[in-house]
Amino acid sequence: MFLAADYPDLMVGLGQPDDAAVWRVDDERALVVTTDFFTPVVDDPFTYGAIAAANSLSDIYAMGAAPFLALNIAAFPPQLPTNICSQILQGGAEKAREAGVVIVGGHTIQDKEPKYGLVALGFAHPQNMLTKGGLQPDDRLYLSKPIGTGVIATAIKAGTEQPQEAREAIEWMLRLNKGAAELALSCGAVAATDITGFSLLGHAWEMAAASGTGMRIDFEKVPLMTGARRLAGQWVFPGGAFDNAEFFKPHVQFHAEISQELQLLLFDPQTSGGLLFAVPPGNENVMLKKAEEIQQPVWKIGVATDSGRIEVL
Ligand code: CO
Ligand code: CO
């Protein structure tokens, strides 16, 4: 049987599920380990590989760690041309290099549908890292990428996307969360997570639940990708949005004026989404100055409360 007490150096494990596991190496270093992989979200193999790598590294950044080493995990159909496979792996390798990460190996199996991602390792400082817990009422909530990759990827799959909107979404998915993590650490944030499959509200609830707090989110302040609102109006949602809504709705209270489709947009599963991090009141100016310095976009979307639920106004 697994007992946390048997592993005193395990700082974050299954006992308090987070974006990655954390193992204390010594007083200065904690090893952060995670893995993630998924099926193609775009048609271009190189771009798919790069997005999958950025997404895998995101969980390392969400812990306030710097990634340095990774392994490929891939599944390719036997009939897939080898140059397509190598383009996927090359997209991953170049994105990893941009992050200062070297891919040193991996494993590939055969499967009907392609799958790709990384096992990623990073180092954090044991006294200065980010977890889902630790949110305090009155902390300001900042998000580093707009919402909408789920509805836009669904339009891409159906072949009904608007090219400019798809390009914009792809640029966001390709973007590393390195700068966002730097910002969070620079302002004394302790609570953070990355926004992925469970949607903005699902991951927000994970943070609130892990911290024993609530949140108030101002719908009008939530950044949306171009086209997201229109696609929501046409009910172009991936199945995961409905699953997220059903699962997390008991913890969310919407203002009566927010329409059903805009509510569902906040449950839209994201691929390689931004970081949601909590800035202690009083440290906002330091963070915003740094954001400008490193040209990292951030949006203030709300505040932590003691309500024990997510209110969307
Ligand atoms: Co995560
Ligand atoms: Co993950």
Side-chain angles (χ1 to χ4, degrees), residues 141-209:
L141 303 170
Y142 281 85
L143 181 64
S144 70
K145 292 186 191 182
I147 298 298
T149 65
V151 288
I152 291 168
T154 304
I156 292 176
K157 275 195 186 124
T160 58
E161 83 282 13
Q162 306 235 348
Q164 183 49 40
E165 292 169 2
R167 271 194 295 274
E168 185 189 317
I170 288 167
E171 283 307 313
W172 284 114
M173 289 190 279
L174 284 170
R175 196 180 171 109
L176 292 170
N177 277 325
K178 186 180 187 176
E182 211 178 301
L183 275 191
L185 291 174
S186 76
C187 64
V190 293
T193 195
D194 63 326
I195 306 303
T196 51
F198 289 155
S199 76
L200 174 64
L201 294 183
H203 289 290
W205 170 247
E206 286 182 337
M207 267 175 85

Side-chain angles (χ1 to χ4, degrees), residues 18-20 34 36 55 58-59 62 132 193-196 203 206:
D18 214 298
D19 291 303
T34 184
D36 213 333
N55 181 75
S58 186
D59 281 327
K132 294 186 192 205
T193 195
D194 63 326
I195 306 303
T196 51
H203 289 290
E206 286 182 337

